[in-house]
Amino acid sequence: PSWCSGGMGLPRLGGQGGKGGDVWMVSKKEVTLKRIHDKYPHKRFVAGVGANSSVKGLKGEKGGDYELHVPVGITVTNDDGRVMGELNAEGDRVLVAKGGQGGSFHSAFTPSKGQTKHIRLDLKLIADIGLVGFPNAGKSSLLTVISHASPQIANYAFTTLRPEIGKVMYDDHKQISVADLPGLIEGAHLNKGMGHKFLKHVERTKQLLFVVDVCGFQLASKTPFRSAFEAVQLLTKELELYKEDLLSKPALLVVNKMDLPDAEHKLEELREQLENPEEFSHLLPHDMIPRTNLAFRDVVPVSTITGLGLDQLKRRLRGSLDEEAAKASEPLHRERLGALRPSRTPLPVWGP
């Protein structure tokens, strides 16, 4: 984007030129990055030049601002990768640079040039729940059966090629958004596979829903087999290595594919391991043991084939989100109660 200079000052009358216009990023629903790309192939955005000072108007008018509408969920960064601002809700605005100052006495009536910058628009999903799991854990199938979504499902390493968002609907018309994100692989924090593309979306979800195959998985013939417990620990480690505060998000665990043989026995084994993770840490390479073990709010066994546990999962998702919403609103509620309470003025006491 390009920002414009201020207007010329008027030396003989001490007139001041108008300031150059600014360029803003403004979030708006229904806008997509593809639409921006197609509409502005030159990717150059110019605000208005400040008006020159004149006899009719000693103070020149400010140049017009330029507002570029962008999708909700955009992070704006500059050439150096520094975050300039985030647009998380419709109508949020980020000033990415300012127009030049108009000419005045202090600048010998010469205007200054506005800034010219290259910026990057990085779209991160915003959803209530983010599904976290290795490929083929059944995340896409789970999203299909609990929500109104039709993700493309295939049996290969990166099952989900692009993020999908589904809406879980409730009888009272409440909706919860669930994002199925491209499957993680070991080493994602190093940007292997789709690593960072996946992990950046996790940042913008309120809560995490880990999904593991009760019988474990093997990514490829040359990679080691991982049990359900090892999968949980490795997923935790990948999030920790990318950005440790992701682990402060509330999390639930779904143990999928409970229709498989010996699933009940493997589930009990997993529960025992999760209760005493230190005792089983030897199962993992030393550098892949997480520093912090996640305390899941609930462990929900499900089968997308038979429907086992799906209603319970929907209830727990809603309950967990409602708990967090209540916690967040509690300080505001107390503050409002305090404002409503009349202040007590001590009554005078008269002696005999």
mmCIF file of all heavy atoms in Angstrom, residues 11 40 47 50 53 59 76 81 97 116 123 126 216 218 230 299 315 328 348:
data_model
loop_
_atom_site.group_PDB
_atom_site.id
_atom_site.type_symbol
_atom_site.label_atom_id
_atom_site.label_comp_id
_atom_site.label_asym_id
_atom_site.label_seq_id
_atom_site.Cartn_x
_atom_site.Cartn_y
_atom_site.Cartn_z
ATOM 1 N N PRO A 11 3.641 30.297 1.959
ATOM 2 C CA PRO A 11 4.598 31.078 2.756
ATOM 3 C C PRO A 11 4.155 32.516 3.038
ATOM 4 O O PRO A 11 4.235 32.977 4.173
ATOM 5 C CB PRO A 11 5.871 31.053 1.899
ATOM 6 C CG PRO A 11 5.726 29.834 1.037
ATOM 7 C CD PRO A 11 4.273 29.707 0.785
ATOM 8 N N TYR A 40 -8.022 -6.389 -6.878
ATOM 9 C CA TYR A 40 -6.873 -5.482 -6.869
ATOM 10 C C TYR A 40 -5.619 -6.240 -7.318
ATOM 11 O O TYR A 40 -4.737 -6.521 -6.506
ATOM 12 C CB TYR A 40 -6.638 -4.906 -5.466
ATOM 13 C CG TYR A 40 -7.866 -4.271 -4.854
ATOM 14 C CD1 TYR A 40 -8.603 -4.950 -3.869
ATOM 15 C CD2 TYR A 40 -8.298 -3.011 -5.244
ATOM 16 C CE1 TYR A 40 -9.727 -4.376 -3.300
ATOM 17 C CE2 TYR A 40 -9.428 -2.432 -4.691
ATOM 18 C CZ TYR A 40 -10.129 -3.122 -3.725
ATOM 19 O OH TYR A 40 -11.245 -2.554 -3.165
ATOM 20 N N ALA A 47 -4.026 6.566 -0.805
ATOM 21 C CA ALA A 47 -4.947 7.512 -0.177
ATOM 22 C C ALA A 47 -4.804 8.874 -0.850
ATOM 23 O O ALA A 47 -3.920 9.088 -1.690
ATOM 24 C CB ALA A 47 -4.642 7.616 1.313
ATOM 25 N N GLY A 50 -3.041 15.600 0.519
ATOM 26 C CA GLY A 50 -3.557 16.758 1.258
ATOM 27 C C GLY A 50 -3.663 17.972 0.329
ATOM 28 O O GLY A 50 -2.840 18.144 -0.572
ATOM 29 N N SER A 53 -2.458 24.793 0.682
ATOM 30 C CA SER A 53 -2.981 26.007 1.301
ATOM 31 C C SER A 53 -3.201 27.060 0.209
ATOM 32 O O SER A 53 -2.431 27.135 -0.751
ATOM 33 C CB SER A 53 -1.973 26.531 2.331
ATOM 34 O OG SER A 53 -2.379 27.793 2.825
ATOM 35 N N LYS A 59 -5.843 26.844 5.633
ATOM 36 C CA LYS A 59 -5.548 25.468 6.118
ATOM 37 C C LYS A 59 -6.120 24.482 5.105
ATOM 38 O O LYS A 59 -7.333 24.372 4.953
ATOM 39 C CB LYS A 59 -6.150 25.236 7.504
ATOM 40 C CG LYS A 59 -5.759 23.885 8.098
ATOM 41 C CD LYS A 59 -6.161 23.804 9.550
ATOM 42 C CE LYS A 59 -5.885 22.434 10.124
ATOM 43 N NZ LYS A 59 -4.465 22.073 10.123
ATOM 44 N N VAL A 76 -2.308 -8.334 10.427
ATOM 45 C CA VAL A 76 -1.535 -7.499 9.503
ATOM 46 C C VAL A 76 -0.095 -7.448 10.000
ATOM 47 O O VAL A 76 0.163 -7.076 11.144
ATOM 48 C CB VAL A 76 -2.107 -6.060 9.427
ATOM 49 C CG1 VAL A 76 -1.357 -5.238 8.376
ATOM 50 C CG2 VAL A 76 -3.593 -6.084 9.123
ATOM 51 N N GLY A 81 7.974 -8.827 9.598
ATOM 52 C CA GLY A 81 7.206 -9.836 10.323
ATOM 53 C C GLY A 81 6.599 -9.305 11.612
ATOM 54 O O GLY A 81 5.985 -10.055 12.367
ATOM 55 N N ALA A 97 -0.304 2.753 8.288
ATOM 56 C CA ALA A 97 0.707 3.823 8.240
ATOM 57 C C ALA A 97 -0.020 5.135 7.992
ATOM 58 O O ALA A 97 -1.166 5.146 7.561
ATOM 59 C CB ALA A 97 1.750 3.568 7.176
ATOM 60 N N THR A 116 5.351 4.639 2.572
ATOM 61 C CA THR A 116 5.051 3.583 1.608
ATOM 62 C C THR A 116 5.541 2.272 2.213
ATOM 63 O O THR A 116 6.707 2.170 2.594
ATOM 64 C CB THR A 116 5.759 3.832 0.269
ATOM 65 O OG1 THR A 116 5.291 5.077 -0.258
ATOM 66 C CG2 THR A 116 5.464 2.717 -0.718
ATOM 67 N N LEU A 123 -4.575 -14.640 7.206
ATOM 68 C CA LEU A 123 -5.894 -15.007 7.715
ATOM 69 C C LEU A 123 -5.809 -16.228 8.612
ATOM 70 O O LEU A 123 -5.320 -17.278 8.213
ATOM 71 C CB LEU A 123 -6.852 -15.305 6.550
ATOM 72 C CG LEU A 123 -8.271 -15.731 6.950
ATOM 73 C CD1 LEU A 123 -8.973 -14.624 7.724
ATOM 74 C CD2 LEU A 123 -9.077 -16.103 5.722
ATOM 75 N N ILE A 126 -11.243 -18.301 12.954
ATOM 76 C CA ILE A 126 -11.786 -18.056 14.299
ATOM 77 C C ILE A 126 -12.931 -19.039 14.503
ATOM 78 O O ILE A 126 -13.885 -19.056 13.738
ATOM 79 C CB ILE A 126 -12.296 -16.612 14.452
ATOM 80 C CG1 ILE A 126 -11.155 -15.621 14.245
ATOM 81 C CG2 ILE A 126 -12.922 -16.415 15.819
ATOM 82 C CD1 ILE A 126 -11.575 -14.183 14.323
ATOM 83 N N GLY A 216 -4.389 -46.346 18.345
ATOM 84 C CA GLY A 216 -3.113 -45.782 17.941
ATOM 85 C C GLY A 216 -3.020 -45.631 16.430
ATOM 86 O O GLY A 216 -3.979 -45.901 15.698
ATOM 87 N N GLN A 218 -0.059 -45.271 12.794
ATOM 88 C CA GLN A 218 1.283 -45.235 12.210
ATOM 89 C C GLN A 218 1.182 -44.390 10.952
ATOM 90 O O GLN A 218 0.421 -44.706 10.027
ATOM 91 C CB GLN A 218 1.764 -46.653 11.863
ATOM 92 C CG GLN A 218 3.215 -46.694 11.393
ATOM 93 C CD GLN A 218 3.712 -48.126 11.232
ATOM 94 O OE1 GLN A 218 2.926 -49.067 11.199
ATOM 95 N NE2 GLN A 218 5.021 -48.297 11.124
ATOM 96 N N GLU A 230 0.634 -42.077 23.457
ATOM 97 C CA GLU A 230 1.762 -41.414 22.809
ATOM 98 C C GLU A 230 1.275 -40.313 21.870
ATOM 99 O O GLU A 230 1.887 -39.246 21.772
ATOM 100 C CB GLU A 230 2.599 -42.436 22.035
ATOM 101 C CG GLU A 230 3.367 -43.394 22.933
ATOM 102 C CD GLU A 230 4.004 -44.514 22.125
ATOM 103 O OE1 GLU A 230 5.131 -44.320 21.646
ATOM 104 O OE2 GLU A 230 3.366 -45.578 21.984
ATOM 105 N N VAL A 299 -12.785 -36.822 29.116
ATOM 106 C CA VAL A 299 -12.360 -37.783 28.097
ATOM 107 C C VAL A 299 -13.630 -38.463 27.595
ATOM 108 O O VAL A 299 -14.342 -39.104 28.382
ATOM 109 C CB VAL A 299 -11.376 -38.829 28.675
ATOM 110 C CG1 VAL A 299 -11.024 -39.873 27.615
ATOM 111 C CG2 VAL A 299 -10.123 -38.147 29.206
ATOM 112 N N ARG A 315 -22.944 -32.289 24.271
ATOM 113 C CA ARG A 315 -23.290 -31.658 25.565
ATOM 114 C C ARG A 315 -22.038 -31.117 26.248
ATOM 115 O O ARG A 315 -22.048 -30.016 26.800
ATOM 116 C CB ARG A 315 -23.995 -32.664 26.476
ATOM 117 C CG ARG A 315 -25.427 -32.974 26.089
ATOM 118 C CD ARG A 315 -26.165 -33.694 27.223
ATOM 119 N NE ARG A 315 -25.551 -34.974 27.560
ATOM 120 C CZ ARG A 315 -25.844 -36.129 26.968
ATOM 121 N NH1 ARG A 315 -26.750 -36.166 25.990
ATOM 122 N NH2 ARG A 315 -25.265 -37.254 27.344
ATOM 123 N N ALA A 328 -15.674 -15.587 32.328
ATOM 124 C CA ALA A 328 -15.270 -14.323 31.711
ATOM 125 C C ALA A 328 -16.204 -13.186 32.107
ATOM 126 O O ALA A 328 -15.783 -12.045 32.263
ATOM 127 C CB ALA A 328 -15.235 -14.464 30.199
ATOM 128 N N PRO A 348 -26.776 9.688 61.622
ATOM 129 C CA PRO A 348 -26.302 10.396 62.828
ATOM 130 C C PRO A 348 -26.913 9.782 64.083
ATOM 131 O O PRO A 348 -28.053 9.325 64.073
ATOM 132 C CB PRO A 348 -26.809 11.827 62.607
ATOM 133 C CG PRO A 348 -27.928 11.698 61.633
ATOM 134 C CD PRO A 348 -27.627 10.526 60.769
#
